[in-house]
Amino acid sequence: MDISIFKVSVADSALDKLRSRLSSASFPNELENARWDMGAPLADVQRLLRYWKDGFDWRQSERDINTMPQFQTSIEINGFETLDIHFVHQQSIVPGAIPLLFCHGWPGSFLEVKKLLPLLTAGNHGLENVAFHVVAPSLPNFGFSAGVKKRGFGLRQYAETCHKLMQKLGYFEYVTQGGDWGFHITRMMGLLYPNQCKVSHLNVAEASAPSFSNHPILAFEHLLTPYSPHERAGLERTAHHRKTGMGYDILQQTKPQTIAYALADSPVALLAWISEKLHEWTDDYPWTDDEILTWVSIYWHSTAGPAASLRIYYESNHPGTDGLPYDRALSYIPHVKYGIAHFPKDLTVLPNTWAATLGDVILQTRNPHGGHFAAVEHPEIIPPKRRPPPPTTPSLPATKPSRPSALAKAHHISARTEAEIREAFSLFAVPSPSAKPSATATSSSSVARSSLPSSSLRRALLALACAPTSAAELASLLEAADPIASGVVGYENFVAVAALKLQARGAEVRRGEVREAWGLFVGGEDKGGGRGGFGEDKDEEEEGEGEERRITIADLRRVARELKEEVSEQVLADMILEANGGRGVKRGVGVREFEGVMRRAGVFG
């Protein structure tokens, strides 16, 4: 194999040329009382430049970098030239160590892994002596890896590079750690190579709030669970960065070549461009001048030049026909398990329910300190200190399937299925439905814990009836929506809803489900004799004394028009809640009119 030992060694002539450029540097003027909010302050840049020119010892930095075991090998990328890739490869002596790919971003480098190496390879950081063989490449166009000469080198190609490197080293199954661009690249590795990339740990999460159409269970959890103080602060931090700190991102993803001239020609421009990010993106980390100048020098002395690294912004946001769009990394990716560490001063700090939309997230941690460069600021936090806790569900009495009850027969479910529904019900309702439940949906005699508003309960019931999810997800949703009380729901209504879920056939809502869900929502008898509030059309125009406001046909049509673009379980829930202000009705509108409006909204084909 063409894997060779690599040592960082910049030519003396390159260092002499750098000093000459630093000696002839010129500076812009600055407004009075200018601070970091306007960019890198003049005094800080001038101080760093003087030290870079007259005091900074790059040779000492080289010696420190070269204490890490580094190598170089060639990787052939489909549709592109073969690239020489530089990487750190620190193997563990712990038996059964797990291969781990550490993927950096911008303006970071392979150097970010340095503080982590003893923690990850020693196996003494709290994960039951689990240790890792660590591989930390310089990405193409970064550090001491080769630059790319053709357009179109985007997320797919970065993921391919890292995956092929792991395969070449004999790591046919591996885990990953990523932040910044490492988040996107390792996510694409999981998408493209799910049989090899088994677990990904991320120290940042970029995602959107869960929707009922894509993540119904998470959407309920998001709807019913208030944000924690840390999550609210994280959203404020995210909004602040998007408002005040995105100028570099817009420029680099639209016109990277323009800023490239300044960064390639002027070490002062590069110093200001990077040092501002190191200051603004950390949680008051006490950068030394030597640390800052080592980071900047790696870019200045990089194989492809200091500006090549900017192209990942453009290429990832302008994928070719064979490329992967940037947003694909922000949506659900199956098959890979995820752990996510949130840091309060990162650029994007999202609530747990948002991050959980990324995939099978088995662990999330919220850390009290840290920013964008977590591996440098707090390396002791990056390795998870615990495995995901085992599920804690109450012990349930064994329920032997017997002959179907009358309730099961009415909903065409087997005795075994009914037993499973009863078990799911007992996960959130106390006392257990082994006792005869109340037949009414409004009785409060067996309320266990009830702080959920009835309007939210009706929303949950209706979406439960219409969401095409599994019985296992049903129990999970009930746990997420806790507290829901048995005295509010009523066991009979619960069975009816659960039966509808089990009978669901894909995303299309069937007419029978709408009728049953509507009956559960209304929860009463109509004069017309229709079950669960369905009445004849003539009854729709009548309104008895003392009854709550009815949903009018005009209401239904208005809401149907508003929600026409997104027809899903959310349509059904929001239609009723919007049209009726979250209140129940004793007399429902006629079923034919209701179905007619639903059909016009696109729910029925």
Side-chain angles (χ1 to χ4, degrees):
M1 265 191 295
D2 61 331
I3 298 178
S4 58
I5 294 174
F6 184 93
K7 296 290 185 182
V8 177
S9 180
V10 175
D12 289 336
S13 59
L15 297 178
D16 293 339
K17 185 176 180 180
L18 171 61
R19 291 191 189 94
S20 175
R21 287 176 179 269
L22 293 173
S23 298
S24 61
S26 58
F27 298 93
N29 58 19
E30 184 180 64
L31 296 176
E32 293 182 5
N33 300 316
R35 297 291 185 269
W36 284 99
D37 62 321
M38 297 189 70
L42 178 61
D44 289 84
V45 174
Q46 289 177 328
R47 173 181 53 78
L48 285 167
L49 182 139
R50 287 193 297 269
Y51 183 60
W52 198 3
K53 179 171 66 75
D54 299 325
F56 175 63
D57 186 352
W58 168 250
R59 295 303 183 197
Q60 180 58 50
S61 293
E62 283 185 338
R63 287 190 289 272
D64 292 340
I65 293 171
N66 288 333
T67 61
M68 296 187 291
Q70 298 168 81
F71 304 88
Q72 187 179 64
T73 191
S74 59
I75 301 290
E76 185 176 346
I77 307 301
N78 294 333
F80 290 83
E81 64 271 25
T82 297
L83 299 175
D84 290 332
I85 301 299
H86 160 259
F87 61 98
V88 173
H89 184 196
Q90 176 72 67
Q91 292 181 293
S92 172
I93 62 172
V94 177
I98 300 169
L100 180 147
L101 176 94
F102 179 95
C103 192
H104 68 82
W106 185 93
S109 70
F110 69 96
L111 189 60
E112 291 179 74
V113 81
K114 191 173 188 294
K115 293 181 181 180
L116 282 175
L117 286 179
L119 298 173
L120 293 174
T121 57
N124 59 358
H125 47 74
L127 262 180
E128 302 171 15
N129 208 39
V130 173
F132 299 91
H133 302 307
V134 180
V135 179
S138 291
L139 293 172
N141 291 325
F142 287 78
F144 302 108
S145 287
V148 180
K149 298 180 175 62
K150 292 171 58 178
R151 293 183 66 140
F153 198 95
L155 290 177
R156 179 186 293 276
Q157 288 72 33
Y158 282 101
E160 181 184 347
T161 302
C162 293
H163 171 72
K164 286 184 173 179
L165 174 61
M166 296 299 281
Q167 300 289 284
K168 193 167 187 177
L169 294 174
Y171 298 139
F172 301 111
E173 291 184 341
Y174 52 83
V175 301
T176 66
Q177 153 63 36
D180 195 85
W181 282 110
F183 164 88
H184 298 271
I185 294 168
T186 59
R187 295 270 293 159
M188 293 301 97
M189 293 174 73
L191 177 68
L192 296 172
Y193 313 106
N195 293 328
Q196 290 79 34
C197 182
K198 297 296 186 181
V199 179
S200 287
H201 186 262
L202 309 168
N203 60 276
V204 68
E206 296 185 38
S208 300
S211 68
F212 282 95
S213 56
N214 294 329
H215 302 280
I217 293 175
L218 284 173
F220 271 112
E221 183 179 351
H222 178 251
L223 175 71
L224 302 173
T225 307
Y227 292 142
S228 70
H230 295 294
E231 289 175 323
R232 289 195 299 271
L235 288 173
E236 291 173 2
R237 166 70 175 177
T238 303
H240 174 75
H241 173 70
R242 290 178 179 175
K243 181 179 179 180
T244 65
M246 293 293 288
Y248 82 98
D249 186 86
I250 296 171
L251 178 58
Q252 292 179 182
Q253 69 175 272
T254 56
K255 295 293 187 287
Q257 190 64 24
T258 301
I259 187 64
Y261 296 108
L263 302 185
D265 181 68
S266 171
V268 177
L270 183 68
L271 173 63
W273 198 245
I274 292 179
S275 64
E276 179 227 313
K277 311 302 183 291
L278 301 185
H279 178 274
E280 293 291 291
W281 294 1
T282 55
D283 189 5
D284 295 325
Y285 177 72
W287 292 100
T288 67
D289 289 352
D290 286 297
E291 283 181 303
I292 295 172
L293 293 174
T294 298
W295 277 51
V296 175
S297 295
I298 287 175
Y299 275 84
W300 183 259
H301 299 304
S302 62
T303 301
S309 61
L310 309 184
R311 295 172 189 144
I312 189 173
Y313 287 83
Y314 182 91
E315 299 287 15
S316 297
N317 284 278
H318 299 80
T321 54
D322 189 42
L324 289 169
Y326 176 90
D327 290 345
R328 183 63 186 90
L330 313 186
S331 56
Y332 189 92
I333 292 178
H335 309 306
V336 180
K337 296 188 181 301
Y338 289 97
I340 300 173
H342 300 272
F343 292 88
K345 290 301 178 69
D346 208 336
L347 311 185
T348 302
V349 189
L350 301 179
N352 282 13
T353 50
W354 296 37
T357 64
L358 293 172
D360 184 7
V361 178
I362 60 176
L363 177 68
Q364 294 196 59
T365 58
R366 291 212 167 256
N367 301 289
H369 309 289
H372 192 62
F373 305 106
V376 175
E377 298 174 68
H378 293 284
E380 74 284 356
I381 294 179
I382 287 291
K385 297 297 185 293
R386 65 185 186 276
R387 293 188 185 278
T392 55
T393 55
S395 57
L396 301 170
T399 305
K400 295 182 179 180
S402 58
R403 289 180 298 176
S405 66
L407 192 61
K409 290 179 180 177
H411 293 290
H412 309 289
I413 58 177
S414 67
R416 180 177 295 276
T417 297
E418 183 184 19
E420 293 174 354
I421 293 174
R422 293 174 70 89
E423 183 173 328
F425 185 74
S426 67
L427 288 176
F428 78 100
V430 179
S432 169
S434 56
K436 184 177 180 180
S438 169
T440 66
T442 57
S443 170
S444 59
S445 60
S446 60
V447 172
R449 47 191 186 273
S450 179
S451 62
L452 190 70
S454 59
S455 60
S456 297
L457 174 63
R458 292 189 180 99
R459 180 191 293 267
L461 282 173
L462 193 60
L464 272 172
C466 301
T469 48
S470 67
E473 288 173 317
L474 170 63
S476 299
L477 189 150
L478 293 172
E479 290 182 0
D482 182 54
I484 300 178
S486 59
V488 178
V489 180
Y491 182 54
E492 284 81 359
N493 280 349
F494 181 83
V495 171
V497 172
L500 287 175
K501 281 187 68 65
L502 295 173
Q503 295 165 6
R505 300 287 189 272
E508 183 180 358
V509 180
R510 292 182 290 121
R511 188 173 304 178
E513 294 182 36
V514 176
R515 293 174 65 97
E516 192 68 35
W518 181 250
L520 287 174
F521 175 78
V522 174
E525 293 288 336
D526 189 275
K527 284 185 179 182
R531 182 180 180 278
F534 289 113
E536 300 298 329
D537 288 347
K538 63 180 180 181
D539 291 324
E540 297 163 22
E541 307 302 327
E542 301 174 6
E543 189 168 353
E545 288 186 3
E547 293 180 341
E548 297 183 41
R549 172 184 176 274
R550 290 186 308 149
I551 298 175
T552 67
I553 295 172
D555 289 331
L556 289 173
R557 287 173 178 156
R558 175 180 58 80
V559 179
R561 285 195 301 270
E562 292 175 359
L563 298 175
K564 189 172 182 179
E565 296 302 317
E566 184 181 359
V567 177
S568 64
E569 61 268 25
Q570 186 177 5
V571 171
L572 299 176
D574 287 350
M575 181 173 289
I576 291 176
L577 290 173
E578 282 283 332
N580 201 46
R583 298 190 300 273
V585 290
K586 295 180 180 178
R587 176 179 299 157
V589 299
V591 63
R592 287 198 297 272
E593 284 294 341
F594 178 69
E595 289 181 351
V597 174
M598 298 295 283
R599 186 179 296 107
R600 286 190 289 276
V603 175
F604 302 131

